Amino acid sequence: MNIGIIGGGWSGFAAAVELTRAGHRATVYEAGKVLGGRARRMASTQDASAGPPLDNGQHLLVGAYGETLRLMETVSPGSSRTGFLRLPLALVYPEGVSIRVQPLPAPLHLAAALLFARGLVLSEKFSAIRFIQALKKIDFMPTADITVAEALAGQPEKVRRYLWEPICVAALNTPVEQASFRVFARVLKDALTGKAADSDFLIPARDLSALFPEPAAAWLEKDGGAVRTRTRITALQRSGAQWKALWDGGEALHDRIIVATAPAHAIDLLRPLNDCRTLVCELDKYSYQPILTVYAEYPVLPKFPAPLIGWVEPVPLFIFDMQASLGLTNTISVVASASGPHLEWDDARWLREIDARMQQSFGPLPPPRLIRRVTEKRATFACVPNMFRPAVKTPCAGLFLAGDYVDGPYPATLEGAVRSGVQCAQTLLATS
Ligand SMILES: Cc1cc2nc3c(=O)[nH]c(=O)nc-3n(C[C@H](O)[C@H](O)[C@H](O)COP(=O)(O)OP(=O)(O)OC[C@H]3O[C@@H](n4cnc5c(N)ncnc54)[C@H](O)[C@@H]3O)c2cc1C
């Protein structure tokens, strides 16, 4: 089959790789200049003379992201190892709490991390251990979901603030008062109750486009596929048993179409299709959450106690040492997830806040220089209890969906996007 895939993000390329592996011809259409969608190198930093390439947002993966690592290996052998700085899970807060996974087999790695955690008393440590044990027994059947805040009600305040809430916001990009406990529990279960390596942090050691989308594009093209950047599909039309994809100045016929865009862009393409009316109505109800990344440079950066360190007050954020991951000397990235008044802060206020926290941890430092502040207003869908997530198969024959929001156990993450692309390819093949 000749399959058109709209969207050159991680889900689109995951679908394209799987379909190509099965012997079909995939054409990926990407509206932007740079491949990768919401996980990409910013076009303006592609030019080496403009400084090091920076992404649209600092990303963090975990060892449990098995499908992402598998597909990276398919298109670029070795890249699932060389593409990341891999380190044992470490939640280090200069405010006082520090939880570091120990080099022991599971489940001792985590038990030891909590028992030897700094800044927590014994009763708090045991509460956290009991919470993780309870995860193993959770039934993921679609029973009524609750919020993460409700599920954490029995946890001590310090454990909530320094352990569960930062993990929830980092993984679901949704505040605990609104976040789905079912999805949160699934992410925790996969990362914390499996092999010790599943809980590892994986910090990209390449820009995000070079990590998977670009090698995937090169791999596809070698295998007869095609990738068209700067090609925004403006309409989809039925044409007999096929689908026509139209763009400004061109059109192409495909046996099947996969819409692998963010939900808001999928709506634009699906709205004119009568059979997709109900689907569009449901997707229209989605709400979104922002993510902000600030890149800054210090004249000299002190040695970090871990490649990423966190703060809870006055707003939760993580600071990454980009020298450790990308070799960018004296450079940090600061990530603040989910909405809040801090998203309205200007550059000067951000620099002051960052500097205050850096000085709190490392003592007096010369002032930092802002490299760039990036706010992705619709970084992810808000992952709320019992939300509608569409099936990969749409009511229109031959038209499929992929993307981090499509039905699956994961929140809006790279693993969620890749899994959905793989599942979409499998469903398309099984129903053809
Ligand atoms: C700032 C930020 C930080 C994040 N941090 C993390 C993290 O730490 N860990 C993690 O796992 N996840 C993180 N995520 C989430 C992760 O990046 C996304 O879940 C994932 O990239 C979504 O991939 P996707 O393929 O589903 O969609 P997208 O990446 O949105 O890809 C869709 C593509 O379709 C293209 N497109 C749209 N309409 C059209 C059209 N009409 N024609 C042609 N092309 C079109 C778009 O340009 C885009 O390239 C973060 C996201 C952001 C924004």
Side-chain angles (χ1 to χ4, degrees), residues 40 188 272:
R40 67 173 193 287
L188 282 186

Side-chain angles (χ1 to χ4, degrees), residues 11 38 261-263 379-381 389 402-406 410-413 416-417 420:
S11 67
R38 277 170 285 156
T261 68
T380 69
F381 62 84
R389 295 185 67 175
D404 59 4
Y405 68 103
V406 173
Y410 267 58
T413 51
S420 118

Side-chain angles (χ1 to χ4, degrees), residues 186-210:
R186 177 57 192 258
V187 172
L188 282 186
K189 188 177 181 184
D190 286 359
L192 302 184
T193 69
K195 299 190 300 291
D198 290 346
S199 66
D200 284 353
F201 281 164
L202 272 56
I203 307 177
R206 295 180 192 154
D207 73 67
L208 291 167
S209 298

